Amino acid sequence: MCTLINQFASLDKVISILVKVVQSCHSQDFKQFNGKLCLILGQRYMEKTLYTKAYSYFLRGGDVSNSVISMKQVMKSGYHGERDLFVTRLCLEFLVRNYTKPPLAVEAALSVIEAFKDEKKLYEAPLLNFVRILCEAIKLEGDEKTFKMIVGAYK
């Protein structure tokens, strides 16, 4: 593939075209290819140390581990006291993007949190506890009464 790219265009030009394809093709038939293209783009942006773009494309491709790796790099440029916001955002994005497949969404969100278990203060942050509660509520399949009880106990 690299030989073809070199013959016809620069790699950056090809990446630019792939970004446009991923952004504009939303049909159900193209979905499987869109995810694969997102992973290719994520890897390319990671290689270029463009971690914000990399995490976004890994997220779209459903790659939890590379999303976390990229997010850890993004977090280095933020305030230390706001690290939990970055992790929470990533968890919520996995939940929102996979809302039609709750077990997958919950597994991804909890995997993100688990990736930070070696950072005790961050791992035990109130926002991440809320994400855990939200995941439990999703597992209960939207039982509002139980969710209110869980949130009430959390307060």
Side-chain angles (χ1 to χ4, degrees), residues 28 31-32 35 59-62 93-109 135 138-139 141:
Q28 196 62 27
K31 198 170 190 168
Q32 64 179 337
L59 173 72
R60 291 180 195 180
E93 285 185 293
F94 270 111
L95 288 172
V96 169
R97 288 186 184 273
N98 297 298
Y99 75 94
T100 59
K101 301 174 233 153
L104 176 68
V106 168
E107 180 184 346
C135 288
I138 291 168
K139 287 179 189 177
E141 298 178 359

Side-chain angles (χ1 to χ4, degrees), residues 104-143:
L104 176 68
V106 168
E107 180 184 346
L110 294 175
S111 294
V112 169
I113 294 172
E114 284 301 306
F116 292 90
K117 67 182 171 196
D118 58 330
E119 299 180 47
K120 186 176 185 208
K121 187 175 180 182
L122 178 60
Y123 185 72
E124 295 175 352
L127 270 175
L128 297 185
N129 286 334
F130 177 75
V131 171
R132 289 181 189 96
I133 289 171
L134 186 58
C135 288
E136 287 302 315
I138 291 168
K139 287 179 189 177
L140 296 171
E141 298 178 359
D143 184 339

Side-chain angles (χ1 to χ4, degrees), residues 14-24 41 45 57 60:
V14 172
I15 295 299
S16 174
I17 292 168
L18 288 178
V19 167
K20 289 178 183 170
V21 168
V22 165
Q23 291 173 343
S24 61
L41 290 169
Y45 286 128
Y57 281 100
R60 291 180 195 180

Side-chain angles (χ1 to χ4, degrees), residues 81-98:
E82 295 180 347
R83 293 169 48 84
D84 60 332
L85 297 174
F86 289 97
V87 179
T88 301
R89 176 183 175 166
L90 186 55
C91 291
L92 293 176
E93 285 185 293
F94 270 111
L95 288 172
V96 169
R97 288 186 184 273
N98 297 298

